[in-house]
Amino acid sequence: ALAPQCGWVLPGLEQRLVVPAMVSPATARPYAAAAKTAKKDAKRSRQEKGKEKPPPRRRPLMSKPVDDVYLTWLYRRPSYEPEQAVGMLKRFQELDFTYPKQFVYINVFLDMALQKKKKVDPFSSSVTLPHRFTDEVNKVLVFTESEQEAEIAREHGAAVVGGVELIKWILEDEIQADFYVAVPAIIPKLIPLRNKLRRKYPSTRRNSLGSDIPKMLQFFKECHEYAVENENIIKTRIARLDMPTEHIIANLKTIIHDICTFKPSNFDPIVQRLVIRSATSEGLLLNLDGILPQLEKVEEKEEKDEVDEDQQKPVQESVST
């Protein structure tokens, strides 16, 4: 290899020392671009083949485990009747030695869909439970400019009573209440509070606007409030675990029936899943049969009776003729 530098070349070595012409980068680009394109095409073809492959078939879930120890994701989640579920919660408390008067909660998963792209807007509501489970009394504010009505409100337990002078204090968060009720005469003057109070703004739809102050106070002082969270979930407490089972179930059904009023009955039921739990226990899935209102079945029966009557009329007419 050093022979050319010395000025002499051995016979036949000259041909072997001939260096091939260097390929310029500009000349090599077409080959690189072609290789890159071929690589992309191969990658695209692999992706298309991957898309063509059918998704792996998931093993069907089994209904009921045979042993006491099993993999939960291989079995369907069991559902329980309300009486059975409440009994299990009480049993869990005894086995775990937890607080016997802990709260009982429900998680309600909702179907908010209506026709096309419409859906039920997130809502809140208040309901009177048949069996109270707490001694807490809600703080109710009454709007009125009548001294006589103000005196009646104070006698029936109103926390705050006043007129337009309360608007400034409410806007500045100096006065706060759980619920706000008003008489019709003062409602036009409360418009500045509409954006501040939002869902708690007095209205006839929420039964917080009217002339019967004692009735409104009795309801809102003892009512139970719940609201939709994360667009389609309601999480609320319904009772205490030490209450009789029938009282817990009665409170449960009262709340569920109130929730069902927010979606027309001609659509699918708004309640899709219902889970009950205590403060220290796991959640138990409830069987919805017997919990949801039976309005749809009654309507279907009435429609069927009407159809039967229509079918019988021609027969009766033909007989009479």
Side-chain angles (χ1 to χ4, degrees):
L2 298 176
Q5 298 179 2
C6 298
W8 55 272
V9 180
L10 294 175
L13 183 61
E14 184 178 357
Q15 296 179 356
R16 284 181 285 174
L17 291 177
V18 175
V19 180
M22 296 297 293
V23 180
S24 62
T27 309
R29 281 175 191 164
Y31 301 99
K36 191 174 182 180
T37 304
K39 188 177 180 180
K40 286 184 178 179
D41 293 340
K43 184 178 180 180
R44 190 180 299 111
S45 62
R46 287 196 302 268
Q47 291 177 351
E48 291 176 355
K49 288 181 180 179
K51 291 180 180 178
E52 292 176 359
K53 291 181 180 179
R57 296 182 60 184
R58 185 177 178 181
R59 182 178 178 181
L61 297 177
M62 293 177 280
S63 58
K64 189 176 181 180
V66 180
D67 302 324
D68 294 336
V69 180
Y70 58 93
L71 299 176
T72 56
W73 60 83
L74 296 179
Y75 297 86
R76 298 190 189 97
R77 186 175 182 179
S79 61
Y80 304 94
E81 297 299 326
E83 295 81 2
Q84 182 184 7
V86 174
M88 292 174 65
L89 295 181
K90 291 178 177 290
R91 183 59 178 164
F92 293 158
Q93 180 273 320
E94 295 175 357
L95 295 175
D96 296 337
F97 297 98
T98 54
Y99 185 54
K101 294 185 179 182
Q102 58 188 286
F103 289 118
V104 177
Y105 299 84
I106 57 171
N107 295 351
V108 189
F109 299 86
L110 308 177
D111 177 12
M112 309 286 276
L114 297 173
Q115 58 185 1
K116 296 183 179 179
K117 295 183 179 181
K118 296 182 179 180
K119 63 178 183 178
V120 180
D121 295 327
F123 56 87
S124 64
S125 181
S126 302
V127 61
T128 301
L129 298 178
H131 305 284
R132 294 200 64 197
F133 59 90
T134 177
D135 295 331
E136 299 174 2
V137 178
N138 298 320
K139 185 178 180 181
V140 185
L141 184 148
V142 178
F143 289 107
T144 180
E145 291 183 318
S146 169
E147 186 59 35
Q148 182 179 1
E149 290 176 340
E151 187 63 28
I152 294 174
R154 295 188 187 96
E155 291 177 356
H156 287 81
V160 182
V161 182
V164 293
E165 70 277 2
L166 299 178
I167 296 178
K168 176 184 176 182
W169 303 109
I170 295 174
L171 291 175
E172 296 177 355
D173 293 328
E174 295 292 334
I175 295 178
Q176 295 180 350
D178 297 317
F179 297 98
Y180 301 81
V181 301
V183 294
I186 198 176
I187 197 65
K189 302 178 182 179
L190 302 180
I191 295 178
L193 293 176
R194 185 182 293 274
N195 292 334
K196 178 67 176 180
L197 300 182
R198 295 185 181 181
R199 293 178 179 175
K200 293 187 177 182
Y201 187 79
S203 67
T204 53
R205 185 172 61 88
R206 299 181 182 275
N207 299 320
S208 56
L209 176 62
S211 302
D212 195 342
I213 295 178
K215 182 179 179 180
M216 291 190 295
L217 282 172
Q218 181 181 1
F219 174 78
F220 286 104
K221 280 170 54 180
E222 301 180 355
C223 71
H224 177 74
E225 186 180 23
Y226 64 87
V228 176
E229 304 174 9
N230 301 324
E231 296 186 353
N232 66 336
I233 301 176
I234 294 176
K235 300 178 181 179
T236 184
R237 58 187 186 180
I238 61 170
R240 289 189 182 274
L241 194 56
D242 63 331
M243 293 172 58
T245 300
E246 57 271 18
H247 291 184
I248 298 176
I249 296 175
N251 286 356
L252 167 66
K253 290 184 177 180
T254 300
I255 294 177
I256 295 301
H257 287 199
D258 189 69
I259 293 173
C260 290
T261 61
F262 286 88
K263 188 175 182 179
S265 59
N266 56 331
F267 291 94
D268 292 335
I270 190 172
V271 178
Q272 292 295 297
R273 284 195 301 140
L274 178 59
V275 176
I276 189 171
R277 63 178 179 85
S278 67
T280 60
S281 75
E282 62 177 293
L284 302 176
L285 183 65
L286 292 182
N287 186 358
L288 295 177
D289 295 339
I291 297 180
L292 298 181
Q294 304 298 319
L295 296 177
E296 295 182 1
K297 293 183 179 180
V298 173
E299 291 177 357
E300 291 177 358
K301 184 177 179 181
E302 292 177 354
E303 292 178 358
K304 186 177 180 181
D305 293 341
E306 291 177 358
V307 172
D308 293 341
E309 290 178 0
D310 294 338
Q311 293 177 350
Q312 292 175 1
K313 284 180 181 179
V315 177
Q316 293 175 356
E317 290 176 358
S318 61
V319 172
S320 60
T321 55

